[in-house]
Amino acid sequence: MGDFSITITFISFILLFLTRYHQLVHADPPTLVPPYSCDTSNPRTKLFPFCNLNLTITQRAKDIVSRLTLDEKVSQLVNTAPAIPRLDIPSYQWWNEALHGVSYVGMGIILNGSIPAATSFPQVILTAASFDPKLWYQISKVIGTEARGVYNAGQAQGMNFWAPNINIFRDPRWGRGQETAGEDPLVNSKYGVSYVRGLQGDSFEGGKLIGGRLKASACCKHFTAYDLENWKGVNRYVFDAKVTLQDLADTYQPSFHSCVVQGRSSGIMCAYNRVNGVPNCADYNLLTNTARKKWNFNGYIASDCDAVRFIYEKQGYAKTPEDVVADVLRAGMDLECGNYMTKHAKSAVLQKKIPISQIDRALHNLFTIRIRLGLFDGNPTKLQYGRIGPNQVCSKENLDLALEAARSGIVLLKNTASILPLPRVNTLGVIGPNANKSSIVLLGNYIGPPCKNVSILKGFYTYASQTHYHSGCTDGTKCASAEIDRAVEVAKISDYVILVMGLDQSQETETLDRDHLELPGKQQKLINSVAKASKKPVILVLLCGGPVDITFAKNNDKIGGIIWAGYPGELGGRALAQVVFGDYNPGLFSSMLYPLTNKQT
Ligand SMILES: *[C@@H]1O[C@H](CO)[C@@H](O)[C@H](O)[C@H]1NC(C)=O
Ligand SMILES: *[C@@H]1O[C@H](CO)[C@@H](O)[C@H](O)[C@H]1NC(C)=O
Ligand SMILES: *[C@@H]1O[C@H](CO)[C@@H](O)[C@H](O)[C@H]1NC(C)=O
Ligand SMILES: *[C@@H]1O[C@H](CO)[C@@H](O)[C@H](O)[C@H]1NC(C)=O
């Protein structure tokens, strides 16, 4: 197959589900309303040493923990941490997402209000194909800025983001491969470091976080050896990855090591799966010996959502819920995404399964992060990142960067007929299930509402006097049913034809792996039929995150050009058109690999 990583119909019911879901979970008011924690206008602030900016962050965190009752302590061990009114400590939401832009997936971000959208950068697998760490850094710097803008507008209940995903995309069928920088440990390491530094407010070179202060908190996930959703009845919640120590060291750990040591990430998430029999979130050797002791990790460790419960309910690893709680805390996990701690941590303490010192350790790590984020420093609008306003979200600069990222990532795979770039044409045929999908298709997963909607088709309009469009498949990328004859008619009346094919989130996503690498359904038949009927060799554009076997297209002379465009983000339609029509050259790197004039076999 083609030696490259290739990769959305974000089906509307998923969208509908997310929208509904978010209406349900955003019940609490945002945290950014007066009185602020440790506000100087509040006379009680003087009573709390944790509000004293003259003390170290460690002293302040220690002070908070020392004041909490057992019930209060237990309440803070989960992602939805309630307020502690007697100490003027507000509620906090740890679960927010920002894989390639501030997202509404997670529970603390509300993109409804003075900020209704955020810049949606290309899905990571495409941005990774730029092989440009500076670009990766600039993107996450913008994400951090937009996140603070959303927070300052009172639309965020937390500044912790559960990104980047630096798992190794080893199994090409993995539904979440699109979220990663690919299969290479080195690229994933560099990607992770750039992302963490940009998001957290560090410099590109690192080491510039003043006083350990954080613009936003990154979280490298999922620790470790995770690249399976659901395979023949074995799902990620129970999967036991058998990994040799050497493979662990060579393949799976380097990106996490870099994330901690070079990136200085303030967060790590332990994965659902087990490694050699031990659940990741209950693995003392992984979380404490490796991350904290060997790598000097000083942030917080969160579980993937409901992973703690699954260790008991699905993996049967411990005898009672209290044993699970004790296992994960003792292993070094600090925060549970879920509510098992709320239910069982107190009884675990009372049954003496876990000493209170382990809970204090977890709380210390958690409050340290909140203090580092400046959330116990009084009125946040007066602080370092307090002046970032809504005008810095979806700004022209940010959108230009999204466009640049898409253009830099797009890869030219074949140009045997030297057909690319195309000239301006009279009639352009645009065919395929991904051509006129709402722009949501271009975003991948872990998305938020984009600032702009540009479909692929719309991107092409400016380059042709007349555009003929046909979806080819009647059921999206699944393409179980195709209208090949009608697509062929479109091809016959067009000077040039562009086929916009590939996958979307109905074919590859979280909880959904593929079981083969071919294009789904009748896509291949459609492509070959259209190519055969076209006046000139056609251009095949693939939108997908995981690799697709296109040997048939490589060997078909009537397919003159092949372009991989991942999931190119909200301006992906524009980027692709600029690349196809020569307004932008995706770079010497890709043209060195596939010279424009090279007659390939
Ligand atoms: C912090 O230190 C400054 C300078 O030493 C002092 O003026 C101030 O009163 C101190 N603040 C608190 C709350 O102790
Ligand atoms: C957005 O906010 C408005 C006003 O608070 C509310 O009526 C509407 O239902 C919200 N929409 C969503 C999608 O949450
Ligand atoms: C493309 O999709 C949009 C939105 O679904 C629709 O309004 C438009 O008519 C479609 N364009 C064509 C040429 O079919
Ligand atoms: C983009 O399209 C979505 C869904 O079709 C719509 O809800 C949203 O308001 C649009 N955004 C813009 C900026 O036009």
Side-chain angles (χ1 to χ4, degrees), residues 294-316:
K294 278 200 202 132
W295 302 345
N296 288 320
F297 174 65
N298 69 352
Y300 76 107
I301 300 179
S303 79
D304 206 335
C305 294
D306 283 328
V308 175
R309 178 162 69 88
F310 293 158
I311 292 174
Y312 175 68
E313 289 182 3
K314 292 186 190 287
Q315 299 179 358

Side-chain angles (χ1 to χ4, degrees), residues 210-511:
I210 303 153
R213 292 298 179 140
L214 298 166
K215 185 181 186 183
S217 168
C219 175
C220 291
K221 70 186 185 186
H222 313 75
F223 198 36
T224 192
Y226 165 44
D227 66 350
L228 172 142
E229 298 303 296
N230 199 336
W231 182 246
K232 296 193 196 279
V234 177
N235 64 39
R236 59 184 179 160
Y237 310 121
V238 296
F239 179 58
D240 185 11
K242 301 287 184 200
V243 188
T244 64
L245 283 180
Q246 180 178 359
D247 201 14
L248 200 62
D250 282 354
T251 306
Y252 297 105
Q253 300 300 58
S255 57
F256 288 96
H257 176 264
S258 301
C259 163
V260 168
V261 173
Q262 292 170 265
R264 296 188 186 276
S265 177
S266 50
I268 291 177
M269 175 182 284
C270 47
Y272 289 118
N273 57 284
R274 292 180 282 171
V275 173
N276 302 328
V278 185
N280 277 313
C281 294
D283 190 346
Y284 178 85
N285 193 40
L286 184 70
L287 306 186
T288 298
N289 269 348
T290 302
R292 286 209 191 275
K293 293 190 175 163
K294 278 200 202 132
W295 302 345
N296 288 320
F297 174 65
N298 69 352
Y300 76 107
I301 300 179
S303 79
D304 206 335
C305 294
D306 283 328
V308 175
R309 178 162 69 88
F310 293 158
I311 292 174
Y312 175 68
E313 289 182 3
K314 292 186 190 287
Q315 299 179 358
Y317 182 76
K319 287 202 192 76
T320 67
E322 284 75 17
D323 287 315
V324 175
V325 164
D327 283 348
V328 296
L329 284 167
R330 206 176 289 116
M333 198 199 82
D334 303 307
L335 182 85
E336 183 210 0
C337 180
N339 59 11
Y340 223 53
M341 289 287 177
T342 319
K343 290 180 183 156
H344 305 293
K346 187 178 179 182
S347 48
V349 172
L350 297 177
Q351 291 170 24
K352 301 215 182 320
K353 301 221 173 199
I354 187 83
I356 194 75
S357 61
Q358 291 282 2
I359 290 183
D360 288 353
R361 180 221 70 223
L363 294 169
H364 184 86
N365 290 334
L366 295 174
F367 281 105
T368 297
I369 299 292
R370 290 172 68 175
I371 297 171
R372 290 177 67 191
L373 284 162
L375 306 182
F376 287 92
D377 292 352
N379 186 345
T381 59
K382 294 196 174 141
L383 304 175
Q384 192 182 1
Y385 298 112
R387 290 182 208 294
I388 298 172
N391 62 335
Q392 292 193 50
V393 183
C394 290
S395 66
K396 179 171 183 310
E397 290 79 6
N398 298 358
L399 289 173
D400 284 349
L401 185 61
L403 178 65
E404 179 58 22
R407 297 191 302 202
S408 316
I410 289 172
V411 179
L412 178 65
L413 296 168
K414 177 183 177 183
N415 195 22
T416 41
S418 290
I419 199 165
L420 287 165
L422 293 187
R424 308 285 159 125
V425 293
N426 281 329
T427 53
L428 182 68
V430 181
I431 296 169
N434 275 335
N436 192 37
K437 284 288 175 51
S438 101
S439 65
I440 217 92
V441 168
L442 306 177
L443 307 183
N445 64 356
Y446 283 90
I447 58 169
C451 323
K452 286 203 159 101
N453 289 324
V454 183
S455 68
I456 296 278
L457 187 58
K458 226 153 121 188
F460 286 134
Y461 279 159
T462 48
Y463 291 92
S465 324
Q466 220 188 348
T467 307
H468 302 293
Y469 158 73
H470 198 273
S471 68
C473 308
T474 58
D475 53 352
T477 55
K478 189 177 175 209
C479 210
S481 113
E483 294 180 328
I484 292 176
D485 292 347
R486 293 187 54 195
V488 161
E489 290 312 310
V490 167
K492 281 183 179 161
I493 56 165
S494 304
D495 295 337
Y496 285 90
V497 171
I498 303 174
L499 285 144
V500 190
M501 312 298 290
L503 309 175
D504 61 23
Q505 301 302 299
S506 71
Q507 304 301 310
E508 55 171 355
T509 196
E510 187 160 3
T511 72

Side-chain angles (χ1 to χ4, degrees), residues 36-93:
Y36 309 107
S37 57
C38 300
D39 201 330
T40 45
S41 67
N42 177 359
R44 281 149 56 94
T45 288
K46 284 202 203 64
L47 304 174
F48 302 135
F50 64 80
C51 292
N52 184 348
L53 294 169
N54 290 347
L55 300 180
T56 63
I57 289 172
T58 300
Q59 288 169 321
R60 296 171 68 193
K62 213 166 171 178
D63 181 65
I64 297 182
V65 177
S66 74
R67 285 166 194 279
L68 304 180
T69 64
L70 178 56
D71 286 307
E72 286 166 348
K73 284 180 179 180
V74 163
S75 76
Q76 299 297 307
L77 295 171
V78 292
N79 63 294
T80 306
I84 305 172
R86 74 184 179 88
L87 299 173
D88 297 333
I89 294 176
S91 64
Y92 194 70
Q93 180 53 255

